[in-house]
Amino acid sequence: MAFAMHWHRTHQHAQQEVAAEQALVHLQIAYAQVAEPVLTGLAQRASSLQMKNRFAHHLQRAVPEYAERILNDPAWDALTAVLAEAEAAGHNATTVLVQALGQRTLDDAHSPARALTWRIRRLGDRHAPGPRAQATRARSTTQRAAAPIHPAAAPPPPQAPPARRR
């Protein structure tokens, strides 16, 4: 809607610009009516203070440029609740947080914590890796960290495929 308003404004379509602006207002009102009860319910199930501090630490390491804004956002409690739910389902909270941050910028978000809450909730609904997959991933990460890569041991660079004959 915001793009439509901008496009009509730049093309001097005043009537369409007003219509797009009204549609945006109606969508924001509808969103608030649907989202607020859900966010309030999540906030009531907020994590313990220790867990909130741990999530805040992960957040500050992952996105220091947004951390203060997110931590002061009224939806912070809801965000910690969905991070805890994702962990309970077998996800790594830091990984899910980084994935949610990578989906889209938070620059234009009115409430970055709210935006992350919905993104993480969607990611948390995905099938969590099983215990064997988590153990394998932990082993491979540990082995990669323990084994330094030497230039002589590095794999050769990829080569172009051979030309096809006609």
Side-chain angles (χ1 to χ4, degrees):
M1 284 298 140
F3 175 76
M5 287 172 20
H6 173 72
W7 189 87
H8 289 301
R9 185 179 308 120
T10 59
H11 289 85
Q12 298 178 347
H13 300 156
Q15 196 171 20
Q16 288 86 352
E17 181 185 348
V18 170
E21 190 173 339
Q22 288 174 345
L24 178 61
V25 168
H26 290 295
L27 286 172
Q28 289 172 334
I29 291 169
Y31 167 78
Q33 289 174 345
V34 171
E36 288 308 318
V38 176
L39 290 168
T40 300
L42 286 170
Q44 290 172 349
R45 296 190 317 240
S47 307
S48 68
L49 183 58
Q50 180 183 1
M51 198 173 255
K52 283 182 186 180
N53 289 337
R54 186 168 55 87
F55 291 148
H57 177 72
H58 292 313
L59 182 71
Q60 289 165 336
R61 290 184 63 207
V63 280
E65 65 276 15
Y66 294 110
E68 186 175 331
R69 194 169 155 215
I70 293 170
L71 293 170
N72 293 320
D73 191 317
W76 169 242
D77 285 343
L79 177 56
T80 63
V82 297
L83 283 168
E85 287 175 2
E87 273 190 345
H91 293 282
N92 179 305
T94 304
T95 303
V96 173
L97 180 61
V98 169
Q99 288 173 340
L101 288 163
Q103 287 180 347
R104 184 170 175 233
T105 182
L106 293 172
D107 291 338
D108 60 348
H110 293 289
S111 170
R114 185 182 297 184
L116 289 172
T117 297
W118 297 126
R119 292 177 195 177
I120 290 170
R121 196 148 191 223
R122 267 194 314 276
L123 289 169
D125 287 344
R126 293 183 182 167
H127 179 68
R132 287 179 83 186
Q134 289 175 343
T136 302
R137 184 175 13 171
R139 270 195 312 276
S140 68
T141 304
T142 304
Q143 288 171 354
R144 270 186 268 151
I149 297 179
H150 298 286
Q159 296 180 352
R164 295 191 330 186
R165 289 192 213 166
R166 292 185 182 212

